[in-house]
Amino acid sequence: MRIKNPCFDRRFIHFSNHPAPFSPAHSLRSRLPCSALPTPSPSSRFSSRFSLPSDARCSVQDISLWRRMGCTSSISKRYSIGRKKKLNIPEILVFTPTLRIPANSDLVRPLRGRVSQEIVEKLFAFRSRILLLAEQCLGSAFSELHQALQEYLPLLLALTKKEYGLEELVEFKWKCLEDDQKETCIASSWYELLSVVHMMAMLSLSEANNILISKDVTDTDCKTAAIDLLLKASGYLEYCVRHILVCMPPNIKMMLPRDLQEGVLEAISFEALGQGTEMQLGLAVESQKATLSVKRRLACEQVSYFAKAHYCMSGCISEGYGRKHILFIKWKYLEAKAAAYYYHGLILDKGNESRDHIRAVCCHLAAEELLIDSKRACLSFCIQAPVTRASPFWGVMKHLNQKILELASEKSQMYAYLFEDDKAAAHELPDLPDFLLSLKPDDYELPDIDPSWGSEKCEPQVQTLKAHLNDHDDKVEIK
């Protein structure tokens, strides 16, 4: 990274040994006042392209005359008559990766004659209910859909047990909402179990985002509820990696879609912890009791979480929605590192030696550079398909957005004379301290198998040859 000070030519100062998948731009900007610094906005970039020309108006008489002349077809292409349809661009506070929901699958025919009719009907009913809720009322029924998934799990678990011999009997289908409804069909009960727990995690992330958007984002209770949901989502994903993927045969793992690969699941888990730490830092900034050391520690922990998330995603496919996912991690990583260097600079500036002040200035200049780069990363994330919009500055960045820029300018001017006495210090950027990560995922355990699997009713009924032939003639319609 290149750090500029007011006395000397531009010099390179390299980052610390802290994992840094993203580095700032190779050249610092000229010392501009805070009001002159660029603040990219998605709307300003495209406003000129979609604005009508000043003369694009016509009277009712003109339209009537042109209609009689047969020219209205060409007019409609140039002028919009009536109100324009408002674009619904979703707002993102908590990033939710691609949501996968169940698709129609034939559960009755493969299981008929192997388990009781009661078990088959229950499995079909619970899965159909999940499918219906997911397609019709996903945005407003988080708790109801989550409850349906919890009720489905005890029945599903028995299909994964070797003693029943049903692991690869049923072909389960799931579809991705963001990838043109693309379906993935795998004959594995472990795939179904993984998809159900993954969906529970995605619902927790979606609910956290919905809480922060629909309510006052500055409300402490709102942030606390969102943190709890993020920890719960991280716990679901950690269970998927440690207890479900390890039980899958290698051939089934190779068939899994990108969203269920081990690296992606781990990345989302670390990402959820990073976003939870970001909200904790926001609460600490608003609290008068929180010290600078506490704020610096939370910012450094946030950097570590997003660095781990990027490392997990490094071996995964970065196309389509995966590309947007990586851009979100980059954006949040740069924001977190800007905050970490800001607080680290404040603590170093409390030292009594001149070298401490020089190192503090380097930290503040690095924070300024990282903040500007984070705004560019935010813009890249928003315009990457599917297009989204970021909320105005909130949490810790609401407080630091201007403070970082102002303090970098103030300190670099205040301690400019010190760089003349210690030129070697201008080449060094202090390392960020390493801390043990304090935020952990919630523990999650699967429920017990449904008691109906151990009852006498679970035993398959003996069929006559005539009944067996009639069963094959029946057509099961799955709605």
Side-chain angles (χ1 to χ4, degrees), residues 108-322:
V108 179
R109 193 178 295 274
L111 295 176
R112 182 180 293 165
R114 294 179 177 268
V115 296
S116 68
Q117 186 67 20
E118 177 186 356
I119 296 294
V120 175
E121 290 177 354
K122 280 186 176 181
L123 284 169
F124 176 76
F126 278 115
R127 198 174 193 275
S128 299
R129 180 167 175 253
I130 295 171
L131 192 155
L132 182 64
L133 288 172
E135 289 186 340
Q136 294 186 356
C137 51
L138 179 62
S140 58
F142 292 111
S143 59
E144 188 176 358
L145 186 52
H146 194 275
Q147 181 64 28
L149 291 168
Q150 291 279 17
E151 294 174 355
Y152 177 54
L153 279 175
L155 285 166
L156 173 63
L157 281 175
L159 296 179
T160 63
K161 303 301 178 182
K162 292 183 179 181
E163 52 266 29
Y164 292 104
L166 306 173
E167 292 181 65
E168 300 181 359
L169 193 63
V170 180
E171 288 189 344
F172 293 99
K173 297 179 181 180
W174 286 73
K175 60 185 177 181
C176 177
L177 292 182
E178 300 293 345
D179 195 7
D180 299 328
Q181 302 285 330
K182 182 179 179 180
E183 290 188 0
T184 304
C185 178
I186 301 178
S188 172
S189 55
W190 287 107
Y191 167 66
E192 177 79 353
L193 179 61
L194 177 64
S195 299
V196 169
V197 181
H198 175 267
M199 186 176 183
M200 291 165 59
M202 298 303 103
L203 288 175
S204 298
L205 295 176
S206 298
E207 187 175 1
N209 184 65
N210 189 62
I211 287 176
L212 294 173
I213 291 176
S214 59
K215 299 181 181 180
D216 185 5
V217 73
T218 61
D219 186 12
T220 302
D221 295 336
C222 175
K223 291 181 180 178
T224 303
I227 293 174
D228 293 339
L229 288 169
L230 289 169
L231 296 181
K232 185 183 296 184
S234 182
Y236 290 144
L237 295 168
E238 186 180 51
Y239 189 89
C240 289
V241 173
R242 296 188 178 182
H243 300 282
I244 299 181
L245 283 178
V246 295
C247 297
M248 279 188 172
N251 62 316
I252 299 297
K253 284 185 180 180
M254 295 178 62
M255 300 169 62
L256 292 176
R258 188 200 69 87
D259 306 312
L260 297 182
Q261 293 176 5
E262 182 177 355
V264 177
L265 297 178
E266 288 181 332
I268 302 173
S269 178
F270 284 124
E271 179 187 316
L273 296 176
Q275 292 180 274
T277 307
E278 178 186 7
M279 295 181 196
Q280 286 184 334
L281 179 57
L283 293 174
V285 170
E286 296 171 359
S287 174
Q288 297 180 352
K289 298 180 179 180
T291 63
L292 282 178
S293 299
V294 172
K295 297 172 185 177
R296 180 182 64 175
R297 173 168 185 152
L298 289 173
C300 290
E301 289 183 15
Q302 187 184 349
V303 172
S304 298
Y305 283 125
F306 283 109
K308 289 178 180 291
H310 179 265
Y311 176 78
C312 294
M313 287 287 292
S314 59
C316 303
I317 301 174
S318 59
E319 298 178 357
Y321 207 79

Side-chain angles (χ1 to χ4, degrees), residues 430-448:
D431 295 340
L432 289 174
D434 292 326
F435 297 100
L436 293 176
L437 301 180
S438 57
L439 208 58
K440 303 295 182 183
D442 283 351
D443 294 331
Y444 175 71
E445 293 293 336
L446 289 173
D448 296 330

Side-chain angles (χ1 to χ4, degrees), residues 461-473:
Q461 300 175 356
V462 179
Q463 292 180 311
T464 63
L465 178 60
K466 181 178 180 180
H468 179 71
L469 294 175
N470 289 335
D471 287 342
H472 282 278
D473 292 335

